[in-house]
């Protein structure tokens, strides 16, 4: 009643929202109330009730779709980073590959030249595998390389670059170390 009285008192249309339970279901409506004057000069009130449930459902579906797209975008970005990282790393050891190592070495040489900053290069070459390991086959060889990769990754700083140069040669570039 109060909304109708307010609408009759105003010259402009009045829009309001109403929520109530109807047969145990919560309903939401938008109501447009407009004051009209008939031929006899009497004030009349026209009210148009619009159910907001379809619009609310569309909004919820839209929000869910946007959230799903954002999740897919985050997953794709993570996958892209992983793929990029895989192209920089040796699959057996998890160490950087030769191309990435050479880029890091160029960067360190440039820094050394420009800023008189020191770096160290550690070169590692594995002796031929023991006959016992060779007899165990490719799986044993892979485990040796995986262990060496874990050893180098676990005992160097994040700023250092450990890499596999070829089948038996490895290198560690120690940034800022004389």
């Amino acid at each position: 009643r109060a909304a109708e009285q307010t609408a009759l008192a105003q010259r402009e249309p009045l829009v309001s929202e109403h929520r109530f339970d109807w047969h145990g279901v919560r309903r939401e409506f938008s109501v447009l109330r407009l004051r009209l004057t008939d031929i006899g000069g009497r004030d009349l009130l026209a009210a148009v009730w619009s159910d907001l449930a379809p619009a609310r459902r569309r909004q919820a579906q839209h929000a869910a779709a946007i959230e799903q797209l954002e999740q897919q975008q985050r997953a794709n970005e993570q996958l892209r980073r992983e793929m990029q990282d895989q192209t920089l790393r040796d699959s057996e050891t998890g160490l950087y590959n030769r191309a990435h190592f050479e880029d890091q070495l160029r960067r360190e040489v440039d820094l050394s030249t420009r800023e008189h900053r020191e770096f160290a290069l550690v070169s590692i070459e594995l002796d031929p595998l023991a006959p016992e390991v060779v007899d165990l086959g490719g799986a044993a060889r892979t485990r040796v390389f995986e262990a060496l990769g874990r050893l180098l990754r676990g005992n160097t700083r994040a700023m250092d670059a450990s890499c596999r140069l070829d089948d038996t040669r490895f290198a560690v570039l120690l940034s800022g170390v004389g």
Side-chain angles (χ1 to χ4, degrees):
R1 281 282 203 231
E4 279 83 9
Q5 294 302 321
T6 303
L8 282 172
Q10 292 184 358
R11 299 236 181 258
E12 299 296 320
L14 178 67
V15 178
S16 59
E17 287 190 10
H18 297 275
R19 293 171 193 84
F20 53 90
D21 290 327
W22 189 15
H23 300 293
V25 177
R26 182 138 181 107
R27 302 293 303 263
E28 295 182 52
F29 292 92
S30 173
V31 183
L32 169 67
R33 292 180 178 88
L34 180 62
R35 182 178 134 192
L36 303 172
T37 305
D38 73 354
I39 296 174
R42 293 182 313 175
D43 285 336
L44 302 174
L45 182 65
V48 179
W49 289 66
S50 301
D51 190 358
L52 294 176
R56 298 283 196 248
R57 264 193 306 276
R58 283 192 306 274
Q59 287 173 346
Q61 289 170 344
H62 182 76
I66 288 174
E67 176 59 30
Q68 185 179 11
L69 286 172
E70 288 173 349
Q71 286 176 354
Q72 287 175 343
Q73 234 175 355
R74 288 189 294 269
N76 286 342
E77 181 61 26
Q78 177 67 25
L79 186 59
R80 187 193 63 75
R81 280 194 302 270
E82 288 172 7
M83 293 296 290
Q84 183 180 17
D85 193 48
Q86 285 178 359
T87 62
L88 298 177
R89 294 189 182 272
D90 174 61
S91 61
E92 233 176 0
T93 61
L95 300 175
Y96 289 116
N97 62 25
R98 184 181 193 109
H100 180 72
F101 178 76
E102 289 173 355
D103 288 342
Q104 293 296 98
L105 183 58
R106 271 190 228 95
R107 184 182 63 83
E108 284 299 325
V109 169
D110 288 345
L111 283 171
S112 177
T113 304
R114 236 183 9 249
E115 299 175 9
H116 306 289
R117 184 173 153 183
E118 295 180 325
F119 67 92
L121 179 62
V122 178
S123 180
I124 303 166
E125 184 163 357
L126 293 181
D127 290 336
L129 296 175
E132 298 85 19
V133 175
V134 173
D135 290 342
L136 292 173
R141 178 184 175 280
T142 300
R143 291 193 56 187
V144 168
F145 287 127
E146 287 172 350
L148 181 60
R150 278 193 307 273
L151 179 72
L152 291 176
R153 284 190 322 270
N155 291 297
T156 55
R157 303 169 299 173
M159 65 193 327
D160 299 332
S162 302
C163 93
R164 183 176 186 178
L165 297 174
D166 60 31
D167 200 36
T168 60
R169 292 185 320 140
F170 298 82
V172 179
L173 181 61
L174 302 167
S175 183
V177 174

